[in-house]
Amino acid sequence: MENKISFASKVMLIDASYIDRVGTDLATYFTPVVKRELPKADLTILLECLALDAGILPGNNEIQVFFVYDSDEKQMRFCTPSYLNKEIHEKAFNSELGEFSLYAFQSSEMVPRRDFFMELLQLLGESKDVKQVIVIPDEMNDVASLERIVEKIKGKESITLFGMTPPKKECVYTFEQLGFAMLQAFGIRADELG
């Protein structure tokens, strides 16, 4: 894959199935809490919030975002845009943080999504071009294997892992709560949470 795409210095790797599951669950949970129907989450706001939480400062940054998904899950139902291949793959947007370039990669029957995700993470870790890695893995999968890969990554400015469950031990990466960025993307205000 590295031959087809040259990596930027800042790369976000996202398990699309996992983030869709979390987003859908959060929308279901918070709709009665805020006493209003939540709109679809804004994917651009979500990505900006994740980048900010990972320590990316406003500027002329190039940020690549790689979504990995299963062949039977071509859409993230919780957000807009949502169709991975039609609306997200090879699209880009600009913000105060810089340019976000989006790519969506479908796993195959021969290489399951989890394995494909881990292989891509390993490639990012080995790339000399990538200085900052931001990872949103499926926490329901083999976290121990993920941590083994991350622990072998050397020479990066930072590695940030987003999730809903903080690690139980000290890690070589920074952990950030995924839920906070999700709430921003849904437009939920702090005063609505009382």
Side-chain angles (χ1 to χ4, degrees):
M1 179 173 301
E2 195 161 4
N3 296 335
K4 294 181 184 177
I5 295 175
S6 57
F7 293 125
S9 64
K10 299 172 189 325
V11 180
M12 203 178 286
L13 176 60
I14 300 174
D15 184 309
S17 300
Y18 172 73
I19 204 169
D20 186 47
R21 192 167 59 243
V22 170
T24 302
D25 289 349
L26 285 174
T28 301
Y29 177 82
F30 278 102
T31 294
V33 171
V34 298
K35 298 181 177 98
R36 64 181 171 90
E37 192 65 35
L38 291 176
K40 296 273 188 188
D42 185 320
L43 183 61
T44 60
I45 290 174
L46 175 61
L47 296 175
E48 285 180 292
C49 289
L50 292 170
L52 285 166
D53 288 349
I56 296 176
L57 300 174
N60 195 22
N61 298 294
E62 289 182 32
I63 305 159
Q64 287 176 323
V65 183
F66 298 125
F67 293 91
V68 175
Y69 67 100
D70 284 322
S71 58
D72 60 340
E73 297 179 330
K74 297 180 185 332
Q75 178 184 20
M76 295 187 293
R77 298 162 296 152
F78 82 99
C79 67
T80 184
S82 63
Y83 285 96
L84 290 151
N85 197 28
K86 295 177 186 173
E87 298 175 331
I88 295 172
H89 184 60
E90 295 185 335
K91 302 293 191 260
F93 69 92
N94 287 301
S95 80
E96 290 182 17
L97 297 176
E99 182 177 70
F100 288 76
S101 302
L102 314 180
Y103 302 91
F105 299 107
Q106 179 179 310
S107 60
S108 67
E109 289 180 20
M110 294 178 63
V111 181
R113 183 183 86 243
R114 178 198 166 279
D115 295 345
F116 185 50
F117 186 92
M118 298 293 193
E119 287 174 17
L120 189 48
L121 177 59
Q122 207 162 1
L123 273 177
L124 295 174
E126 293 167 358
S127 171
K128 291 184 179 13
D129 296 328
V130 178
K131 303 297 180 210
Q132 186 170 9
V133 181
I134 301 163
V135 188
I136 304 171
D138 187 339
E139 290 181 310
M140 304 314 218
N141 278 329
D142 184 4
V143 176
S145 293
L146 175 91
E147 287 182 346
R148 277 194 298 277
I149 291 171
V150 171
E151 285 171 3
K152 291 179 185 173
I153 297 175
K154 305 292 182 215
K156 305 298 179 205
E157 291 171 9
S158 69
I159 302 169
T160 307
L161 190 136
F162 281 87
M164 298 301 287
T165 309
K168 294 184 168 81
K169 59 178 181 142
E170 199 168 312
C171 301
V172 297
Y173 56 83
T174 302
F175 177 84
E176 293 289 341
Q177 270 292 340
L178 175 59
F180 297 137
M182 285 281 199
L183 295 181
Q184 288 287 320
F186 279 117
I188 296 174
R189 300 181 315 273
D191 65 337
E192 291 183 289
L193 301 176

